[in-house]
Amino acid sequence: MPVKPLLVVFVVVAAPFSAARAAAPCTQLPADAPSVRLAGVDAAGDPVLADGRSLRLVGIAPRQTAAEAARFASEIAQWRERELKLVILAGSDRWGRLPARLFVPAEAAGSEPTNLAAALLRNGAGQRLPEAAFPECGATPAARPSAARSPAQAGPALVGDAIDGHDIAALKAQAGRFVVVEGRVASVGERAQRTYLNFSRRRAEAGAIMLSRTQWRELQASGWTASGLTGKRVRARGVLSGQDGTLLEASSAAALELID
């Protein structure tokens, strides 16, 4: 299925919204949230409001196949023309979509509004994608990874067939998709806002895993170090992005696994 660049937005839009994150790390439904109605989805599979605005519902992973896209569109269709409440979380991305949450108003006194994304996930219309930029209110933080995490010790392993982080062609073929990548770390680059686990010391030879400052601090708190990771094999899940599609942004600190 042809995939519009909408899939890479999870990574591309992160930097411009850093100020918004700090100001409002957790957005609930405010009393003055505007009422909107859904018109359906556009050609790229994104929800569209009746007023023409295009949304990216945060917390839901990109659709990977035609079947997933059809299921998502079918579920969205069931909410067309119903009154919903809109919470915009940041400015529009390069494709004009607004990262947002939609809520179904409470139907009875004393009940709570329903997050539409959560309802879609419950109905199997998508896969959950934790986003550090937009944490869910009241969500329980993920457990920190073990300092010596292994398949036998870490509980359920990351699912899906892993792509070799050293296989540039395989990585580029999955650019923009939510995938699992595995490889041996050649070096660790610590920057002010990001840390990179590089599968090669030469950028063009392999991919890399990108961690936010918060994720890297969580890993360090559980015993991970730059020197300790060098030469180790790791597995991670997230969205492949970057100019050449070989940079994976880990979905959370818990999305990393130390293999050996």
Side-chain angles (χ1 to χ4, degrees):
M1 168 187 176
V3 181
K4 181 183 175 182
L6 72 99
L7 300 182
V8 301
V9 71
F10 291 94
V11 178
V12 175
V13 302
F17 301 155
S18 58
R21 296 179 202 172
C26 181
T27 304
Q28 300 189 40
L29 178 59
D32 60 350
S35 295
V36 296
R37 294 182 185 275
L38 277 171
V41 298
D42 61 17
D46 290 312
V48 178
L49 298 178
D51 61 15
R53 286 181 292 177
S54 179
L55 306 179
R56 178 178 75 80
L57 295 181
V58 301
I60 296 183
R63 276 69 68 195
Q64 301 300 302
T65 66
E68 288 184 356
R71 187 162 56 249
F72 182 81
S74 176
E75 285 293 326
I76 285 289
Q78 297 184 40
W79 299 94
R80 288 183 60 185
E81 302 307 325
R82 291 187 55 177
E83 180 184 355
L84 301 171
K85 295 293 186 178
L86 174 67
V87 178
I88 297 175
L89 301 176
S92 59
D93 61 30
R94 64 196 301 183
W95 295 287
R97 298 171 307 165
L98 292 165
R101 290 192 176 103
L102 287 172
F103 291 86
V104 182
E107 297 183 355
S111 61
E112 296 292 330
T114 301
N115 185 329
L116 182 58
L120 293 171
L121 292 174
R122 284 196 300 270
N123 292 338
Q127 297 184 45
R128 183 173 179 270
L129 179 63
E131 300 187 53
F134 311 116
E136 295 182 25
C137 298
T140 302
R144 290 177 176 173
S146 165
R149 185 172 178 141
S150 69
Q153 299 171 322
L158 300 179
V159 298
D161 295 329
I163 300 174
D164 185 351
H166 304 87
D167 190 336
I168 287 290
L171 291 170
K172 290 183 176 181
Q174 298 298 320
R177 296 182 180 276
F178 189 74
V179 299
V180 178
V181 171
E182 182 177 318
R184 195 169 297 281
V185 178
S187 66
V188 177
E190 296 181 89
R191 304 290 186 267
Q193 299 298 324
R194 297 286 186 270
T195 293
Y196 299 88
L197 309 186
N198 304 304
F199 294 129
S200 173
R201 293 183 180 276
R202 295 184 179 180
R203 181 178 177 181
E205 291 183 347
I209 298 170
M210 182 173 70
L211 303 168
S212 69
R213 179 170 59 179
T214 298
Q215 291 167 348
W216 181 234
R217 285 178 175 174
E218 289 179 9
L219 291 171
Q220 288 180 309
S222 61
W224 291 39
T225 64
S227 59
L229 279 176
T230 302
K232 300 294 185 180
R233 179 171 290 276
V234 298
R235 183 183 298 140
R237 61 183 176 185
V239 178
L240 280 172
S241 68
Q243 294 182 348
D244 55 3
T246 61
L247 183 65
L248 181 137
E249 182 178 22
S251 57
S252 68
L256 273 80
E257 181 179 357
L258 186 61
I259 305 301
D260 59 34

